[in-house]
Amino acid sequence: MARILLILPDQDQRSALDRILAEGGHDAIQTATAVDARTMIESGQYDLLMLDPELPDQDGFAFLRDLRAGNQRQPIVVLNRYARVATTLIAKGLGASGILTMPFTRGEFFSTIDDAIAA
């Protein structure tokens, strides 16, 4: 079982992914903002972070860059909502462990998570 921090602005999306993760035996913790996520990361232990690049309070790519610059080494999977090649390239260049392009299957979802945690 992995402990996963969902950093996603959309409540419906967070809830849906939380349910899928719970069905897969994982523990998901949710937040919508970079400010809250930063506090949670500093005070908790997470096996994986799942990040939407479009956060309401900070650019998600800047947040990812800040995490990596601050020596946060846990795996980070970035959601690519619009299947943009640029999103994938930027996220990988900033140190994302995986990219999950929407829409995705349950198999793709768990494979991406498992690969990121195992790396």
Side-chain angles (χ1 to χ4, degrees), residues 18-82:
D18 185 291
R19 276 191 306 276
I20 293 168
L21 287 165
E23 290 169 7
H26 299 292
D27 182 24
I29 296 82
Q30 303 179 28
T31 187
T33 67
V35 169
D36 289 344
R38 194 170 277 110
T39 301
M40 295 167 83
I41 291 165
E42 290 171 1
S43 65
Q45 179 63 35
Y46 300 96
D47 300 302
L48 179 101
L49 309 177
M50 187 166 287
L51 174 65
D52 186 319
E54 297 181 21
L55 299 174
D57 60 339
Q58 182 180 4
D59 175 76
F61 294 124
F63 181 69
L64 174 57
R65 183 179 54 247
D66 293 348
L67 288 175
R68 291 303 189 220
N71 292 320
Q72 292 295 329
R73 295 293 161 225
Q74 64 266 75
I76 300 172
V77 171
V78 173
L79 291 179
N80 186 353
R81 279 195 262 165
Y82 305 108

Side-chain angles (χ1 to χ4, degrees), residues 4-32:
I4 299 172
L5 179 59
L6 300 174
I7 310 165
L8 311 168
D10 183 271
Q11 176 62 48
D12 292 337
Q13 189 177 46
R14 285 194 316 271
S15 295
L17 293 180
D18 185 291
R19 276 191 306 276
I20 293 168
L21 287 165
E23 290 169 7
H26 299 292
D27 182 24
I29 296 82
Q30 303 179 28
T31 187

